[in-house]
Amino acid sequence: MENQLNLDYQYPVVEMFHSIQGEGFYSGENSFFIRLAGCDVYCPWCDQKETWSIKKYPLLTVENIKNKLTNINTKHIIITGGEPLLHDLLPLTKTLKNLGYKTHL
Ligand code: SF4
């Protein structure tokens, strides 16, 4: 139940944008991307090194993120990073599910 979730939980958000999924089973799908900051893997080939530090980015609550979804024209939301699994994604993913979105990591 959404009202049992902590909608005040905060995520460091690098950017949010529409694009086409370029990988995997849903390749070609109109999607909305939420890029979270933070990574402790430090792959030498990383093309998102600017996402490694959480401190550089604003913290948005689940409620803040939810409010930015009002005009998106897809049911596919991709949470990426960084390493998104550094964060407790349950408040965000359950909220997205309750809103009818299909979430990809
Ligand atoms: S963001 Fe991805 S590719 Fe970059 S260091 Fe972290 S896990 Fe590796």
Side-chain angles (χ1 to χ4, degrees):
M1 301 278 288
E2 187 178 335
N3 59 8
Q4 294 174 324
L5 295 170
N6 179 8
L7 297 185
D8 292 327
Y9 194 92
Q10 296 180 316
Y11 300 94
V13 176
V14 177
E15 57 182 347
M16 290 191 270
F17 57 97
H18 262 116
S19 191
I20 303 298
Q21 169 62 288
E23 305 171 337
F25 184 80
Y26 289 96
S27 185
E29 193 74 48
N30 176 29
S31 304
F32 188 76
F33 289 74
I34 302 171
R35 186 183 305 285
L36 301 181
C39 185
D40 60 358
V41 182
Y42 310 121
C43 303
W45 57 82
C46 181
D47 65 355
Q48 293 293 331
K49 291 185 172 79
E50 67 278 8
T51 68
W52 290 357
S53 171
I54 289 173
K55 294 178 189 165
K56 289 165 51 180
Y57 299 99
L59 294 172
L60 299 186
T61 64
V62 176
E63 190 70 38
N64 294 149
I65 294 171
K66 185 177 156 185
N67 290 339
K68 293 183 183 296
L69 304 178
T70 51
N71 290 323
I72 71 170
N73 60 353
T74 179
K75 284 296 182 188
H76 293 270
I77 295 186
I78 298 171
I79 302 174
T80 187
E83 173 45 86
L85 293 176
L86 280 183
H87 309 283
D88 177 3
L89 294 179
L90 201 58
L92 179 57
T93 55
K94 278 206 152 189
T95 297
L96 295 175
K97 183 178 180 187
N98 290 340
L99 291 170
Y101 293 106
K102 185 181 286 273
T103 304
H104 312 246
L105 294 180

